[in-house]
Amino acid sequence: MLDKNMELVFLTVVISLGCVALLLFLQWKNLQGPPCIRGWIPWIGAGFEFGKAPLEFIEKARIKYGPIFTVFAMGIRMTFVTEEEGINVFLKSKEVNFELAVQNPVYRTASIPKNIFLALHEKLYITMKGKLGTTNLRQFTGQLTEELHEQLDHLGTHGTMDLNNLVRHLLYPVSVNMLFKKGLFPTNKRKTMEFYQNFEAYDEGFEHGSQMPEFLLRNWSKSKSWLLAFFEKNIPDIKAYKSEKDNSMTLMQALLDIIEIETNEKSPNYGLLLLWASLSNAVPVAFWTLGFVLSHPSIHRTIMEGISSVFGTADFSLVLKRQFLESLLCHFCRHLPEPYIFKFPIGNLPDSCGLTLHLSVYLLGSQSSFECPLCHCLKY
């Protein structure tokens, strides 16, 4: 009996010493790299606090731990760069990689396998950069103006609407009809509301959907399936579409030519990805820009004077070249409250660094040394 008790005591002591040794080893590893915020719940770590308000969490961590720190959340270590220190490594180093960082979220949110994504990413990026590059944007202004006028005409001349709903009501059909094909956006009221509801559910749950299994996000998964079915039904029409004016290809048509060289099965998935990338960025930027303009009469007056000075006497695209308007758009693209962009470390970084490196665009954009060179025009 005594021998058994001694064995139990010995085993307990060994386990305790092992835990202490592991703890000391982990602390020693943390000293070799950025401080790590772990939280107290296994696997979840700091996930709850981080998920509630990412920007606030990052800002508090920056003040407490310094410009570079690691967050452990949902089983993933994420190292954040929030100030000038380390920015050159993030942006220029060959030891970090964007494609590998986004591949898993792309698979979870759009069901695009790793091999197809990696094979197509660079080709699609070059095509999109060519179609949407600064020098080519002016070719869209005529169609953009026409589409916006069409949507505004549907609204009538009187009435009230929540600003965010107004922006969605205008930009959803405009973006879809321009990027995919004219007339793709539903015009039937019931189908229009169905599109709104499913995209908004997909967009709002995108962050969780990129991290968690679909069976835990039933409503988000249903909306994702609805949108994929929408594109699967319409891909043949998108491919066959020809512009009545200049016979030019839409962005989605140009992408399909590349996608279908690699696979004939994932075209709807890339349609979903393009839809989310366009609407989830266009709507917030437009909303915050309009909100800002409407809240500052002096800026509203300056913009109206700028538009009036050229509208009717020159091509409307000249308005977009005016320094003040360009400054305003740069300002809100820079301050749009998205938490971060991220890359995947592929080199020999410290063990305490995360599985992904994150650059806090919002915090960098708020620092004077990273001011947009045009933003000196914004005086209010």
Side-chain angles (χ1 to χ4, degrees), residues 58-114:
I58 294 169
E59 172 62 9
K60 288 181 178 178
R62 182 187 66 82
I63 294 171
K64 184 175 181 179
Y65 297 102
I68 301 178
F69 54 87
T70 296
V71 177
F72 179 80
M74 310 305 287
I76 301 173
R77 297 191 316 278
M78 303 172 286
T79 296
F80 286 84
V81 179
T82 63
E83 292 183 359
E84 291 182 54
E85 182 181 348
I87 189 172
N88 285 332
V89 173
F90 184 92
L91 295 176
K92 299 178 181 180
S93 174
K94 294 181 179 180
E95 294 186 344
V96 292
N97 181 279
F98 175 76
E99 290 89 342
L100 291 176
V102 300
Q103 180 275 315
N104 193 52
V106 165
Y107 175 71
R108 288 185 179 277
T109 55
S111 303
I112 298 174
K114 179 178 180 179

Side-chain angles (χ1 to χ4, degrees), residues 128-141 320-321 326:
M128 293 182 69
K129 188 176 179 180
K131 292 281 287 185
L132 302 178
T134 306
T135 56
N136 292 326
L137 282 180
R138 68 179 62 187
Q139 66 180 306
F140 294 102
T141 55
L320 298 180
K321 292 184 177 181
E326 189 174 351

Side-chain angles (χ1 to χ4, degrees), residues 143-156:
Q143 185 184 356
L144 177 61
T145 304
E146 182 182 319
E147 290 281 352
L148 284 172
H149 282 171
E150 186 177 322
Q151 297 304 319
L152 288 169
D153 288 342
H154 292 160
L155 289 176

Side-chain angles (χ1 to χ4, degrees), residues 142-144 146-147 182 241-248:
Q143 185 184 356
L144 177 61
E146 182 182 319
E147 290 281 352
K182 177 76 173 176
Y241 171 74
K242 291 185 178 180
S243 173
E244 295 179 358
K245 293 186 176 180
D246 54 11
N247 205 31
S248 61

